[in-house]
Amino acid sequence: MQPRRADVVIIGGGVVGLSSAYHLARRGVRVMLLERDRVGQGTTSRCAGGIRQQFSTEVNIRFSQEGLRQYQRFRDEVGEDPGLIQCGYAVLARTPEEVALFEQNLVLQRRLGVPASLLGSAELSRLLPFVRLDGVVAGSYCATDGMADPARVTTALARAAGRCGVEIVEQAEVVEIGVERGAVHGVRTRSLDVAAPHVVNAAGTWAGRVARLAGIEVPITQARRQLYVTGPVAALPPSFPLIVDYHHGWYGRREGAGVLVSGVLRPAEGFSLAPDPGETSRALQEAEARIPALKGAKAVRSWVGLYDNTPDNHAILGEAPEVRGLYIAAGFSGHGFMHGPAAGRVVAELIVEGKATALDITLLRPERFREGRLTQEPLTMHGDRG
C-alpha cells in the first residue's frame, strides 16, 4: 500500500481535533484528520455545550476565556452561527466548605477579569425565583457564562477546515501508530497508510487506547453522565441561568421549550452509551426537588455522554515525552467543548512554532504525571458530595 503524506495527522473529529486542524491549516500546514466514526459523532456530540469561566485554577480560566472569545467571534471568522447564548451559570453551595472554595475561586477569577460574584440566599432567590433553595447557603454566579451548540460548532469547523485544505477521512479507525528511533513517522488505518512527522491524539475518551498504539500510557479514565430533555415546561421563564447543584453534581438549563437535566457523573467500564431508565428517574426526582415546576415533566429524549478524565481534572496537552512528534490533546475532564477552541490554537503553536505562546500550558504537560506535579481542579461537576 503506497502511503499518503501529510505534515500532520489528527486522530479524532470532535471539537478539539477539528479546532486543531482548522488552526493548523490556516497556518499553511497540510493536515489529514482521521475519525473512527463520523465527524462530531463522538464525545462532542453528546455534551451539553456548556461554557463557564468559573474554575479554580488559572489555566482552566484562561482556556475558558480564550474559548469564549473564539465562540463570540465564531460567526465572523468561521462564517456560521455557533448558537452561543450567554445565559449565565449559577453554581449552588450547601456547606461552609463549598462556600469557602467559591470565595477562594472568586479572588482568582476577578483578578483574571471574570465578572463573577458570590450571591447570598436572598440574591439567589431574586435571580432564581422558581428554584427551591432549601439547604443552599450561597451561589457563585457569572452572567457571561453560557452555552453553544455542539452540532453546529463541529459541522462549521469541519466545513471551515475543509475550505482551508484539511482532508477529513471518516470511518477511518487508526490501528497503528508508527514509531521509529523514538519518533513518530505516520499512522495506519485498515484502508490507508499515512506518512507524517507529526500526529495529534485528539481522540477524547478513546485517547488512552490510541496512545497505547504508540507504546505509551496516558492516565485517562472514562466516566458517563446521562442527560435528558423534558417536554415543554411553560411554568418556567423562557431563559434562565444554567443551574449547577455543586453538592449533588447535577445541572439543568433551558432546552427549547423544555429543560435539559443531567444525572450525576458515574465511573464507566468501557464505552457503553446505553441509557439507564433508572438513572433518568433518579435525575428527574433530584431536579424536581430543586425546581418544582418540573414535577410531572416527562423525559422525551435521553442519552449518555462520556468524559475523558485525568487524575487532576486538567487536560493533557503537549508533546509526549516518550515519542517525538506525537502530541496529546485529550483528558479535558468534561471541559473539552469549552476549551477545545483554545486547545486547537495551542496545538497549532506547538507544531508550527515549537512552543505555546497564547496560553501557559505548563500545568497541562504530559510529563507532569511521572514527575508527580499535579494541581487539582476542585470545581468540577463530577459527582455527589453528600
Side-chain angles (χ1 to χ4, degrees):
M1 184 184 301
Q2 186 67 27
R4 306 274 294 281
R5 296 193 176 277
D7 298 324
V8 180
V9 170
I10 295 174
I11 303 170
V15 67
V16 175
L18 287 167
S19 177
S20 299
Y22 172 68
H23 283 283
L24 282 162
R26 289 188 65 187
R27 290 168 172 256
V29 178
R30 183 176 47 168
V31 180
M32 180 181 289
L33 184 145
L34 304 175
E35 165 55 41
R36 67 192 296 273
D37 190 358
R38 297 288 185 185
V39 164
Q41 294 301 301
T43 304
T44 298
S45 69
R46 294 174 170 272
C47 76
I51 303 168
R52 64 180 168 99
Q53 303 154 88
Q54 297 179 74
F55 281 96
S56 301
T57 64
E58 181 167 348
V59 65
N60 275 340
I61 293 171
R62 296 286 194 195
F63 266 71
S64 286
Q65 290 175 316
E66 173 60 21
L68 179 57
R69 281 191 291 268
Q70 289 197 40
Y71 282 125
Q72 287 171 329
R73 57 180 186 252
F74 197 89
R75 187 196 296 266
D76 292 334
E77 292 192 0
V78 179
E80 300 187 45
D81 180 6
L84 177 65
I85 301 173
Q86 290 180 265
C87 56
Y89 259 63
V91 187
L92 309 181
R94 290 171 55 94
T95 68
E97 293 77 16
E98 291 167 5
V99 174
L101 172 64
F102 290 7
E103 289 174 334
Q104 177 181 314
N105 293 343
L106 193 60
V107 174
L108 174 62
Q109 291 163 9
R110 286 181 170 170
R111 178 171 66 80
L112 299 178
V114 177
S117 56
L118 190 68
L119 306 182
S121 56
E123 294 169 300
L124 282 173
S125 183
R126 288 192 290 272
L127 177 69
L128 306 169
F130 52 89
V131 174
R132 182 179 289 144
L133 295 172
D134 305 38
V136 173
V137 293
S140 178
Y141 175 64
C142 179
T144 57
D145 289 345
M147 59 186 180
D149 187 318
R152 289 193 202 179
V153 168
T154 50
T155 300
L157 281 174
R159 283 197 279 251
R163 290 193 298 270
C164 293
V166 174
E167 182 178 0
I168 297 175
V169 185
E170 296 180 315
Q171 295 185 321
E173 182 178 0
V174 173
V175 296
E176 182 180 326
I177 297 176
V179 178
E180 189 174 332
R181 296 189 181 92
V184 71
H185 60 76
V187 306
R188 183 172 64 84
T189 75
R190 289 183 174 85
S191 59
L192 76 160
D193 284 345
V194 188
H198 305 286
V199 173
V200 179
N201 179 356
T205 311
W206 292 267
R209 282 188 176 183
V210 170
R212 285 192 286 275
L213 296 176
I216 67 172
E217 294 288 335
V218 292
I220 290 176
T221 57
Q222 293 79 39
R224 53 180 272 146
R225 188 192 292 277
Q226 192 156 314
L227 299 99
Y228 72 88
V229 176
T230 72
V233 183
L236 292 172
S239 178
F240 55 82
L242 189 150
I243 301 163
V244 178
D245 189 321
Y246 178 71
H247 191 78
H248 289 303
W250 67 269
Y251 56 82
R253 63 161 172 80
R254 266 295 187 190
E255 177 77 2
V259 176
L260 179 148
V261 175
S262 82
V264 299
L265 197 70
R266 302 188 185 282
E269 294 184 8
F271 302 90
S272 172
L273 298 174
D276 175 1
E279 178 68 19
T280 298
S281 177
R282 287 189 294 272
L284 182 58
Q285 291 174 4
E286 188 71 50
E288 285 178 2
R290 274 285 165 232
I291 307 175
L294 290 177
K295 187 171 180 60
K298 303 297 183 183
V300 297
R301 186 160 58 97
S302 180
W303 70 95
V304 170
L306 296 177
Y307 282 44
D308 50 334
N309 290 339
T310 64
D312 59 4
N313 299 318
H314 284 95
I316 305 172
L317 190 55
E319 188 174 23
E322 306 93 337
V323 181
R324 294 189 307 279
L326 177 62
Y327 297 82
I328 312 297
F332 284 84
S333 303
H335 315 136
F337 183 73
M338 64 186 83
H339 293 172
R345 179 177 175 181
V346 167
V347 167
E349 291 172 348
L350 287 170
I351 292 174
V352 175
E353 302 173 29
K355 62 179 180 179
T357 56
L359 295 162
D360 183 354
I361 62 168
T362 302
L363 288 180
L364 309 183
R365 297 177 311 131
E367 50 265 59
R368 72 184 188 268
F369 300 102
R370 70 183 187 188
E371 295 171 355
R373 299 182 180 182
L374 306 187
T375 301
Q376 289 293 328
E377 170 56 77
L379 197 63
T380 65
M381 313 309 162
H382 280 189
D384 197 321
R385 296 168 175 84

